[in-house]
Amino acid sequence: MGGWRSKLIFLLVVYFAGFATAIYCLAPVPENQACQPAKKGFAYSVLKSDECAQSFNAGMHKCIDFVKDSAQCAGNFLKQKLDSRYQPES
C-alpha cells in the first residue's frame, strides 16, 4: 500500500464492511427463515444448517459486492475532488 489515499480507501472499506456485518447480524429475522432450528431430528437439522450456511454465504457475497462498488465510487469521487482542488484556476 502506497500513499495516504490508498490507506484511506482501505480503512473506509474495512469500516463499512464491519458496519454492514453488524447490521446483517443485528437485523430482525422473519419467522419463516431457513435458519430456524428444526425439531425433526438430526438429519433434518444437518440439511437445514447447510441451507442456512448457503443463505449466509450468498448474503455475505452480496454485501462484499456492494462494498466493492461503494469503495470504487468513493475512490472516484475523492479523486475528482482532489484533481479539481489541484487544478490551476483560469
Side-chain angles (χ1 to χ4, degrees):
M1 290 185 106
W4 64 271
R5 293 179 192 154
S6 299
K7 291 178 184 177
L8 176 65
I9 297 298
F10 176 75
L11 287 174
L12 286 173
V13 168
V14 170
Y15 175 79
F16 286 113
F19 188 75
T21 303
I23 289 175
Y24 185 82
C25 290
L26 296 176
V29 179
E31 290 299 321
N32 57 359
Q33 182 72 13
C35 293
Q36 286 182 343
K39 297 179 182 177
K40 296 185 179 183
F42 179 73
Y44 185 76
S45 66
V46 169
L47 293 174
K48 282 297 187 182
S49 67
D50 289 342
E51 290 176 11
C52 183
Q54 290 174 354
S55 173
F56 180 79
N57 192 15
M60 287 307 292
H61 280 288
K62 285 181 186 177
C63 180
I64 289 170
D65 291 339
F66 175 73
V67 168
K68 283 181 183 177
D69 292 340
S70 298
Q72 288 176 349
C73 220
N76 291 337
F77 178 76
L78 288 172
K79 184 177 179 181
Q80 287 175 355
K81 288 296 181 181
L82 288 172
D83 288 345
S84 68
R85 175 180 271 183
Y86 292 120
Q87 285 180 351
E89 294 185 25
S90 49

